[in-house]
């Protein structure tokens, strides 16, 4: 059972480039989300999805797009990377949007934008 | 803006010491409180999800208590071991909205010296 798989683990982009961070889970979880972790900050929610075809914005959505065409996959797109998007990104999933089930996290993607 | 505060920010203890830290959260509209353990270079792993005032949860040498009326939760580690060294995160969720309202604190970083 792989759990939550994120790729790539590391990425360096130039300002203005675009890329997609991949996230897949094999636990049949309905809820998936993306967080970013910056020094001195707590994990901040970027976007989330409560099921296939449904997405919504979190606390810091600007500069990021998401889609959820299948239950398993929840990619995060940076359309035009900016240095402010240098961060560590975590994808997380849970059984359903119930609030009382724990999140399962991927291993993170460390992104540097120069 | 909802605020989740964790104290202390960091803690250094000797092997065998017992320790505890605090998570403070809004006392109104409480739904759930999560605790996660986050080792360096790994992803956060769930310890507890607590939903009822007065709840106490235990996993090995780690336990947690919850006071929703006054808005705090304590995490206790009995007889700390070097492998307990990690950052401990709490996350609060209130009523209304989806798990998109899960708000993380900045964490308490525990270092256990052999």
């Amino acid at each position: 059972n792989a759990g939550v798989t994120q790729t790539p683990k590391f990425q360096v982009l130039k300002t203005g480039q675009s890329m997609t961070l991949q996230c897949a889970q094999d636990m049949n979880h309905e809820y998936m989300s993306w967080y970013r972790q910056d020094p001195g900050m707590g994990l901040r929610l970027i976007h989330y999805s409560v099921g296939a075809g449904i997405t919504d914005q979190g606390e810091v959505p600007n500069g990021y797009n998401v889609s959820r065409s299948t239950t398993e996959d929840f990619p995060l797109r940076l359309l035009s990377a900016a240095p402010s998007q240098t961060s560590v990104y975590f994808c997380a999933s849970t059984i359903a949007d119930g609030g009382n089930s724990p999140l399962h996290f991927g291993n993170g993607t460390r992104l540097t934008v120069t | 803006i909802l605020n989740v505060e964790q104290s202390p920010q960091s803690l250094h203890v000797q092997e065998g010491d017992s320790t505890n830290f605090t998570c403070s959260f809004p006392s109104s509209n409480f739904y759930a409180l999560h605790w996660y353990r986050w080792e360096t270079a790994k992803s956060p792993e769930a310890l507890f999800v607590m939903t009822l005032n007065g709840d106490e949860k235990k996993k090995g040498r780690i336990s947690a208590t919850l006071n929703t009326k006054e808005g705090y939760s304590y995490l206790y580690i009995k007889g700390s071991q070097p492998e307990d060294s990690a950052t401990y995160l709490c996350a609060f969720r209130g009523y209304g909205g989806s798990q998109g309202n899960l708000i993380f604190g900045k964490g308490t970083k525990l270092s256990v010296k052999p």
Side-chain angles (χ1 to χ4, degrees), chain A residues 34 46-47 61-67 75-79:
Chain A
W34 278 100
I46 305 170
H47 284 284
N62 292 342
Y64 307 95
N65 278 354
V66 292
S67 59
L76 178 73
R77 295 184 191 84
L78 284 70
L79 297 177

Side-chain angles (χ1 to χ4, degrees), chain B residues 77-95:
Chain B
I77 302 179
K78 186 177 177 182
S80 303
Q81 300 295 309
E83 57 265 31
D84 296 327
S85 297
T87 296
Y88 292 84
L89 300 174
C90 69
F92 163 84
R93 184 193 162 178
Y95 267 103

Side-chain angles (χ1 to χ4, degrees), chain B residues 3 5-6 12 28-29 33 35 42 50 57 62 69 79-81 85-87 93 97-98 104 111:
Chain B
N3 217 18
E5 300 283 346
Q6 290 189 248
H12 298 262
S28 58
N29 279 347
L33 194 283
W35 280 101
K42 295 188 177 179
M50 309 174 80
K57 299 258 184 178
I62 304 177
K69 295 191 187 306
S80 303
Q81 300 295 309
S85 297
T87 296
R93 184 193 162 178
S98 74
F104 280 85
S111 299

Side-chain angles (χ1 to χ4, degrees), chain A residues 1-6 24-29 72 93 95 104-107, chain B residues 43 45:
Chain A
N1 191 343
V4 179
T5 303
Q6 283 184 241
Q25 53 88 13
D26 61 0
M27 298 174 282
N28 204 31
H29 284 173
E72 294 77 21
S93 71
I95 294 171
H104 297 255
F105 285 86
N107 286 331
Chain B
S43 54
E45 290 185 345

Side-chain angles (χ1 to χ4, degrees), chain A residues 31 35 37 40-43 45 48 50 90 94 97-103 105-107, chain B residues 31-32 34 36 38 42-44 46 49 51 89 93 97-102 104-106:
Chain A
Y31 177 87
Y35 288 87
Q37 169 70 48
M41 311 282 288
L43 288 165
L45 183 67
Y48 63 95
V50 298
F90 286 94
T94 191
D97 178 28
N100 55 5
S101 51
L103 291 176
F105 285 86
N107 286 331
Chain B
Y31 188 84
H34 295 215
Y36 294 85
W38 192 358
K42 295 188 177 179
S43 54
V49 177
T51 57
L89 300 174
R93 184 193 162 178
S98 74
Q99 191 131 349
N101 291 331
L102 195 64
F104 280 85
K106 295 178 183 177

Side-chain angles (χ1 to χ4, degrees), chain B residues 1 7 15 17 21 23 25-26 36-37 40-42 56-57 60 64 69 75 81 94 96 111 114:
Chain B
I1 295 175
S7 61
E15 182 175 355
D17 287 349
F21 15 97
C23 174
F25 51 84
Y36 294 85
R37 168 194 161 87
T40 303
K42 295 188 177 179
E56 285 191 37
K57 299 258 184 178
K69 295 191 187 306
L75 189 80
Q81 300 295 309
S111 299

